[in-house]
DNA sequence: TCCGGAATAT
DNA sequence: AATATTCCGG
């Protein structure tokens, strides 16, 4: 029992103008126990599996604060589970009984947490919004790329719309799929012309607000910037070396044309002025294209740009300094 | 007022 | 680190 929900309703959230069209849900999650830890397969998974959203117990995952409040006793996650279980009765409103397959949706379930071992404290985020039909294909495509992912999130409660008012916003879990759509949209628009609203449109995910996109976009740009910067550095670095050797490229261009960097951007020579519908600059970073072990959406700061041409990338240095 | 983007906050 | 929120011009 745990009646949770004292919630003082701050009532400040209320989506201002975000078209709230969050309906649709779809909880088909496929438990991927392929190579996961047993822990993953713990039960809360199942528990959550069916219940996705519903604002009931608005706070289950709130945050530290509230959690702390009643968690004082001790069981943290335990309570969570229980709570969810009880949630079953949740269904009361009209809810949407959508079909349950594809449809963009926001809800989802699947929790996994990294409980592995000893690390659970008060998780908070979660919630993952899933999207549409693409999944299948992506799955295929992403194969090893995504594989293990897609189920990492500890869901808790969702906010729904329907009339509610005191709903909180849950963190959106940018799953590889979502991210992929995001990147796709951005590319289509052109990196510099991409703005949240447009991206949102292109993505077609109904849930997700402009803000979500904006936030992600910010991060995206930031990462990209770093990446480019690094590569540029590396490039210039290699440049010098080349010069030394008497090599080539007289131009003093710092990093305009870099064979290596190019792929990173996806489109060096023509960026903005063209985005045919079905054209697609293969991979940028978060792309499925680059499977391998690069499945980490956001490339960590690992410089990868072989300094000298002629050699196969492979190792690289990590310090580009001078 | 709405939007986009950077700066902050959580 | 990843998201969300807030602040600040257009």
């Amino acid at each position: 029992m745990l009646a949770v929900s004292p919630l003082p309703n701050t009532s400040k959230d209320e989506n201002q103008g975000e078209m709230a069209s969050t309906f649709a849900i779809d909880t088909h999650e496929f438990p991927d126990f392929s190579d996961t830890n047993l822990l993953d397969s713990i039960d809360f998974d199942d528990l959550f599996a069916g219940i996705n959203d519903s604002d009931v117990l608005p706070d289950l995952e709130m945050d530290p604060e509230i959690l702390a409040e009643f968690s004082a006793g001790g069981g943290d996650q335990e309570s969570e589970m229980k709570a969810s279980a009880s949630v079953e009765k949740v269904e009361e409103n009209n809810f949407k009984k959508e079909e349950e397959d594809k449809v963009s949706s926001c809800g989802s379930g699947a929790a996994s947490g990294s409980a592995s071992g000893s690390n659970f404290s008060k998780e908070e985020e979660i919630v993952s919004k899933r999207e549409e039909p693409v999944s299948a294909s992506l799955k295929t495509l992403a194969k090893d790329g995504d594989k293990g992912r897609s189920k990492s999130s500890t869901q808790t409660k969702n906010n729904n719309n329907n009339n509610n008012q005191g709903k909180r916003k849950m963190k959106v879990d940018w799953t590889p799929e979502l991210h992929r759509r995001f990147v796709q949209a951005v590319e289509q628009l052109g990196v510099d012309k991409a703005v949240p609203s447009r991206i949102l449109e292109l993505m077609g995910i109904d849930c997700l607000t402009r803000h979500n996109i904006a936030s992600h976009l910010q991060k995206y740009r930031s990462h990209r910037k770093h990446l480019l910067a690094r590569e540029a550095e590396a490039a210039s670095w290699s440049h010098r070396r080349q010069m030394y050797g008497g090599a080539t490229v007289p131009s003093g261009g710092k990093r305009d044309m870099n064979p290596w960097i190019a792929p990173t951007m996806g489109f060096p020579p023509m960026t903005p002025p063209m985005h045919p519908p079905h054209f697609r600059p293969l991979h940028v970073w978060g792309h499925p294209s680059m499977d391998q072990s690069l499945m980490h959406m956001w490339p960590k700061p690992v410089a990868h740009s072989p300094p000298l041409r002629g050699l196969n990338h492979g190792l690289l240095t990590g310090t580009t300094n001078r």
Side-chain angles (χ1 to χ4, degrees), chain A residues 59-245:
Chain A
D59 16 326
L60 260 202
E61 69 165 318
M62 306 283 334
D63 259 350
E65 314 185 24
I66 303 180
L67 258 179
E69 284 224 10
F70 53 97
S71 74
D76 295 24
Q77 12 176 193
E78 281 196 316
S79 5
E80 265 191 14
M81 295 168 47
K82 294 177 177 176
S84 4
S86 47
V87 181
E88 307 207 304
K89 53 96 155 270
V90 167
E91 312 275 51
E92 42 173 286
N93 290 349
N94 25 342
F95 272 46
K96 48 296 155 128
K97 43 312 256 359
E98 316 288 12
E99 53 284 17
E100 65 284 293
D101 232 13
K102 23 203 55 264
V103 182
S104 36
S105 46
C106 320
S108 87
S112 76
S114 35
S116 27
S118 31
N119 179 6
F120 12 1
S121 11
K122 51 327 189 31
E123 309 226 333
E124 32 166 352
E125 51 186 275
I126 338 295
V127 171
S128 48
K129 315 187 155 194
R130 270 219 181 281
E131 6 116 20
E132 290 196 26
V134 238
S135 330
S137 355
L138 315 150
K139 248 69 196 263
T140 313
L141 247 191
K143 50 167 143 155
D144 54 51
D146 280 31
K147 141 181 135 157
R149 290 191 125 259
S150 61
K151 57 151 188 190
S152 51
S153 14
T154 351
Q155 101 144 47
T156 6
K157 89 250 190 139
N158 254 337
N159 72 354
N160 21 205
N161 24 3
N162 274 353
N163 45 319
N164 47 51
Q165 29 181 148
K167 272 35 254 219
R168 301 175 170 268
K169 311 186 142 163
M170 30 200 234
K171 287 185 179 175
V172 170
D173 179 33
W174 283 86
T175 60
E177 260 102 38
L178 266 187
H179 180 67
R180 186 176 139 301
R181 298 267 293 234
F182 169 84
V183 173
Q184 185 186 312
V186 171
E187 285 178 353
Q188 208 167 317
L189 292 169
V191 193
D192 14 290
K193 303 209 217 105
V195 295
S197 58
R198 298 279 296 131
I199 297 177
L200 185 52
E201 275 176 28
L202 281 174
M203 286 178 72
I205 278 65
D206 23 339
C207 9
L208 282 192
T209 67
R210 185 165 72 74
H211 295 157
N212 294 137
I213 305 285
S215 182
H216 197 64
L217 182 60
Q218 185 176 38
K219 199 181 43 167
Y220 175 83
R221 284 172 171 157
S222 175
H223 279 215
R224 219 169 88 89
K225 182 169 143 202
H226 279 178
L227 242 228
L228 291 180
R230 271 182 111 68
E231 305 210 338
E233 249 182 74
S236 70
W237 187 65
S238 66
H239 230 240
R240 297 180 203 178
R241 286 188 57 170
Q242 284 185 318
M243 288 175 81
Y244 268 100

Side-chain angles (χ1 to χ4, degrees), chain A residues 220-285:
Chain A
Y220 175 83
R221 284 172 171 157
S222 175
H223 279 215
R224 219 169 88 89
K225 182 169 143 202
H226 279 178
L227 242 228
L228 291 180
R230 271 182 111 68
E231 305 210 338
E233 249 182 74
S236 70
W237 187 65
S238 66
H239 230 240
R240 297 180 203 178
R241 286 188 57 170
Q242 284 185 318
M243 288 175 81
Y244 268 100
T248 42
V249 190
S251 67
K254 305 218 146 213
R255 50 66 167 266
D256 313 349
M257 56 325 206
N258 247 314
W260 296 292
I261 200 179
T264 307
M265 325 170 59
F267 33 125
M270 40 54 138
T271 317
M274 77 178 294
H275 15 117
H278 33 283
F279 137 73
R280 179 169 298 185
L282 306 204
H283 78 271
V284 174
W285 42 295

